[in-house]
Amino acid sequence: GRILSCGGWVLDSASDLPLLRKIWLIGPDQASFERVSPELQARTQFLSREALHSDGKAVETFFASFRETLLPVYFSIDKDLLRPEDAVTNWDQGEITLDQLREMLQEMLSACRAAGTPVLGADICGEPEGEDSIGFAANDRANLQLAALLKSAWTDTEGNGKDNGSQ
């Protein structure tokens, strides 16, 4: 049967949700993205694992395009793009640091805030299975830091917890 996975639900959403106009995808390798259908590629702004470690031009272009296209946003963060020191998963691990991910997320949230673009929701996935207490500790640390950043999308800049109307 069909499996719910990070890539699978995005593909299903792109097929089934007519209001989903653009997908912003950071982290998979270029070869994986090239296996995606041309129709889905056309709706996806992609920043590959390789580009994250390039001269920075691809990263700048990605974020410039995000700022220009702002639509209501849903963030789905899969911790498998992080290096093993910052999160542990049971599948391929990425190479970026938690600080780099936080900087990218902060840039996107700041762009949304500046444009008055609502953040509709968010999820964070990529928990280890089993008894890997080291993995749980690293993931808990990442979850807390990412959740605090995302929470800022729903609170005003003074931090008093008032709803800013973007929920």
Side-chain angles (χ1 to χ4, degrees):
R2 296 172 56 114
I3 185 168
L4 178 63
S5 68
C6 50
W9 80 263
V10 173
L11 179 61
D12 289 346
S13 297
S15 299
D16 299 341
L17 301 174
L19 296 179
L20 177 60
R21 295 187 192 157
K22 193 77 173 172
I23 298 165
W24 301 88
L25 182 61
I26 300 173
D29 61 72
Q30 187 66 42
S32 295
F33 186 68
E34 289 171 0
R35 292 191 299 268
V36 172
S37 73
E39 296 82 20
L40 187 55
Q41 284 184 21
R43 294 174 61 191
T44 303
Q45 187 70 30
F46 178 61
L47 183 60
S48 72
R49 177 180 295 185
E50 298 86 353
L52 284 167
H53 301 291
S54 70
D55 64 5
K57 182 68 173 163
V59 175
E60 290 174 24
T61 301
F62 180 88
F63 286 108
S65 182
F66 179 81
R67 286 187 296 273
E68 292 170 6
T69 311
L70 285 174
L71 299 165
V73 176
Y74 180 92
F75 288 100
S76 182
I77 301 167
D78 191 334
K79 290 187 299 281
D80 69 351
L81 67 97
L82 293 170
R83 64 187 184 154
E85 296 89 344
D86 290 320
V88 176
T89 66
N90 292 349
W91 50 92
D92 290 340
Q93 292 275 169
E95 300 167 358
I96 71 167
T97 68
L98 179 58
D99 286 341
Q100 288 170 312
L101 174 57
R102 290 176 57 230
E103 287 173 19
M104 288 187 286
L105 182 58
Q106 182 61 55
E107 182 161 344
M108 295 173 102
L109 289 168
S110 293
C112 291
R113 209 175 282 121
T117 298
V119 175
L120 302 175
D123 68 78
I124 303 168
C125 65
E127 300 308 314
E129 294 179 14
E131 302 296 321
D132 183 359
S133 61
I134 294 170
F136 287 128
N139 283 24
D140 286 348
R141 189 171 41 256
N143 289 342
L144 287 171
Q145 290 184 31
L146 295 169
L149 243 164
L150 290 164
K151 183 180 177 191
S152 72
W154 290 283
T155 57
D156 68 9
T157 56
E158 289 146 21
N160 62 13
K162 290 182 184 174
D163 179 4
N164 69 2
S166 63
Q167 291 187 33

